[in-house]
Amino acid sequence: QVQLVESGGGLVQAGGSLRVSCAASGSISSIYHMGWYRQAPGKQRELVALITSGGRTNYVDSVKGRFTISRDNAQNTVYLQMNSLKPEDTAVYYCRAERSNWPFNVYWGRGTQVTVSS
C-alpha cells in the first residue's frame, strides 16, 4: 500500500514559479511510474507530466518547456517544478503512482491547489 501526500501549492502571480512535491509513505523506488495530473473547475482531470520507473519523462504540450518532473527514489518523493506559470495553469494538482509490474496498483493523492493570478 502506498499513500501519497502532495504539498507546495499556493497562490502565485503569472510568470512566477512553484514547486509541488509528492511524498510517498511506502517505497516507490524504481517500480512505480509517477505522474502529476491536474483538474480545473468544470474540466476533466488531465495528465500534466509523467516520469516512468526508468526515468523517462513526458509532458502535455501546454507545459512543455515550463514544467519539469523529477523523482528522488531515496526520499520517496516526486517533484513538479513549474515555471512561467499562466492563469490557465490554475487547478488542483494530483500525484499518481502506478506500479509498473503486476498487479499494476494505482494510487492517488488528495491534491494541492495551485492558483495563478493574472
Side-chain angles (χ1 to χ4, degrees):
Q1 189 78 5
V2 174
Q3 292 183 327
L4 304 173
V5 179
E6 301 95 336
S7 63
L11 174 64
V12 64
Q13 288 188 331
S17 298
L18 273 179
R19 188 178 78 161
V20 291
S21 303
C22 171
S25 62
S27 174
I28 59 172
S29 65
S30 60
I31 66 171
Y32 281 90
H33 304 313
M34 302 298 297
W36 283 98
Y37 288 69
R38 67 186 179 187
Q39 187 166 19
K43 294 188 177 181
Q44 290 188 331
R45 191 173 298 189
E46 66 169 349
L47 173 64
V48 175
L50 173 71
I51 185 165
T52 70
S53 58
R56 289 178 296 175
T57 60
N58 197 18
Y59 301 89
V60 67
D61 286 346
S62 60
V63 307
K64 285 181 179 177
R66 299 189 297 123
F67 290 12
T68 303
I69 188 171
S70 61
R71 64 192 296 163
D72 183 339
N73 290 335
Q75 297 296 323
N76 295 318
T77 303
V78 178
Y79 304 96
L80 184 67
Q81 177 68 44
M82 303 181 288
N83 299 327
S84 302
L85 282 161
K86 304 175 181 179
E88 51 263 43
D89 294 319
T90 295
V92 178
Y93 283 71
Y94 297 91
C95 181
R96 179 182 188 267
E98 178 182 348
R99 189 180 173 105
S100 61
N101 53 20
W102 192 88
F104 304 106
N105 309 73
V106 173
Y107 303 96
W108 288 91
R110 294 190 174 185
T112 185
Q113 176 70 47
V114 173
T115 302
V116 185
S117 63
S118 57

